[in-house]
Amino acid sequence: MDGCGGSTLFPLHRCKTIHLVRHAQGIHNVEGDKDYKAYMSPEYFDAHLTQLGWQQVDNLRKHVRACELLKKVDLVITSPLLRTMQTAVGVFGGEGYTDRMDVIPLMAANAGNSGRPAISSLNSPPIIAVELCREHLGVHPCDKRRCISEYQYLFPAIDFSLIESDEDLLWKANIRETQQELAERGRNFLNWLWTRKEKEIAIVTHSGFLFHTLKEFGKDCNPLMRKEICKHFANCELRSLVIVDNSMIGSDSSTTNYPGKIPPGPGVSDVDEFAKKDEPKS
């Protein structure tokens, strides 16, 4: 806006707050960050977190509680791979699981060679797994998921109902998703968020997905803001952003807007007379 210092106004009900989290360090990151070819190794299939990764999870867990972010999050969305689900439940899960018949855990004990006790679903926001926010698809074994039936045993309280196939039909051994295809998938994911009623959503995903999705946005921003939006995520880094429904995809009406009905008092004609008295003289 001219004369407003670059500020822009949007209706509140056309906005959502998203808290983007890259998964903590996985076993594939240790060698892959040194040599990109290491990501081709079959031993990193559906890579789980390292012990350092779990320390990163513990640190972020403390942070989201200290800043009271956990109280604000309505929903957690996770990519359905081992490292992202371990990160999601470790950061946003409940405290002190006990073996009670009426409560199922978010994560079973020692899931994915974690060496961790079970994680409770008590006082945790709902967590759902969504294929759209997976990492760059194809070729790299670390980005291939297990069967959903296996994950359901490891993560009993995660909701997998939005995933259509038990087996991974998206990952191809000899075809790598293009960067443009990944960015388009990211845009479809953000558009899908507008079909959700939740207003504050945490998303646990991957560095490639985040980078190629976010660089599609902010092209008309100040260059420093664009740089802040598009820079690569560190392991277990969290960034909070606001997204705006410019295309009116969302259908929800505002819960706080008020139409300004005339309160009991003088008649309409009297109110009009009062307004005329206050009009500036030409």
Side-chain angles (χ1 to χ4, degrees):
M1 288 182 203
D2 293 338
C4 293
S7 300
T8 305
L9 296 177
F10 298 103
L12 180 61
H13 68 288
R14 297 293 174 190
C15 302
K16 288 184 189 289
T17 302
I18 56 174
H19 305 284
L20 302 174
V21 179
R22 181 192 175 192
H23 64 79
Q25 185 192 64
I27 57 172
H28 63 310
N29 294 136
V30 178
E31 295 301 322
D33 287 350
K34 302 173 187 175
D35 180 5
Y36 187 77
K37 293 180 180 178
Y39 289 119
M40 296 292 296
S41 174
E43 69 179 290
Y44 298 138
F45 163 65
D46 191 22
H48 60 78
L49 297 187
T50 65
Q51 288 306 304
L52 174 59
W54 279 106
Q55 292 175 29
Q56 294 169 340
V57 166
D58 291 340
N59 290 337
L60 183 54
R61 180 185 181 88
K62 292 175 184 176
H63 171 73
V64 300
R65 282 158 177 75
C67 69
E68 299 191 334
L69 175 60
L70 186 65
K71 296 179 181 179
K72 301 175 184 177
V73 170
D74 304 312
L75 176 71
V76 178
I77 296 173
T78 180
S79 161
L81 274 82
L82 195 54
R83 59 191 181 273
T84 41
M85 291 189 289
Q86 287 179 322
T87 302
V89 301
V91 172
F92 297 101
E95 303 282 355
Y97 176 77
T98 56
D99 189 13
R100 293 170 47 186
M101 294 299 292
D102 57 335
V103 178
I104 58 175
L106 276 170
M107 187 180 86
N110 197 37
N113 298 314
S114 64
R116 293 280 176 130
I119 295 175
S120 174
S121 58
L122 283 173
N123 302 315
S124 169
I127 302 179
I128 62 174
V130 176
E131 297 257 49
L132 276 175
C133 62
R134 283 178 60 175
E135 183 56 296
H136 214 146
L137 293 167
V139 180
H140 293 173
C142 56
D143 300 327
K144 179 177 171 60
R145 70 165 171 82
R146 301 166 195 266
C147 291
I148 296 301
S149 53
E150 185 174 350
Y151 286 145
Q152 287 173 324
Y153 174 77
L154 298 174
F155 302 96
I158 289 183
D159 182 354
F160 294 97
S161 62
L162 295 180
I163 298 179
E164 298 179 357
S165 172
D166 186 40
E167 296 183 2
D168 188 356
L169 302 181
L170 299 178
W171 185 91
K172 308 296 181 185
N174 57 350
I175 301 175
R176 184 76 165 162
E177 187 178 28
T178 68
Q179 293 180 1
Q180 188 55 46
E181 288 170 338
L182 176 53
E184 183 61 26
R185 176 158 60 85
R187 183 176 293 277
N188 290 339
F189 172 74
L190 292 179
N191 286 340
W192 171 79
L193 288 182
W194 290 112
T195 69
R196 304 288 313 186
K197 66 181 185 299
E198 298 88 0
K199 292 296 184 182
E200 198 144 348
I201 302 172
I203 300 156
V204 184
T205 181
H206 308 264
S207 61
F209 176 83
L210 288 165
F211 178 76
H212 292 291
T213 298
L214 293 177
K215 79 173 186 177
E216 292 292 301
F217 294 84
K219 292 179 180 177
D220 55 348
C221 293
N222 178 289
L224 291 178
M225 184 181 295
R226 177 167 170 75
K227 183 178 180 180
E228 182 178 346
I229 291 173
C230 299
K231 68 179 180 179
H232 281 282
F233 275 65
N235 283 122
C236 222
E237 180 179 356
L238 178 150
R239 287 184 219 159
S240 299
L241 301 173
V242 173
I243 58 173
V244 179
D245 183 13
N246 284 323
S247 60
M248 305 286 279
I249 295 172
S251 59
D252 290 346
S253 59
S254 172
T255 59
T256 57
N257 289 0
Y258 182 72
K261 295 178 181 178
I262 297 172
V268 174
S269 60
D270 293 332
V271 173
D272 290 341
E273 289 299 319
F274 293 150
K276 289 179 182 178
K277 290 180 182 179
D278 292 333
E279 290 178 354
K281 302 298 186 292
S282 57

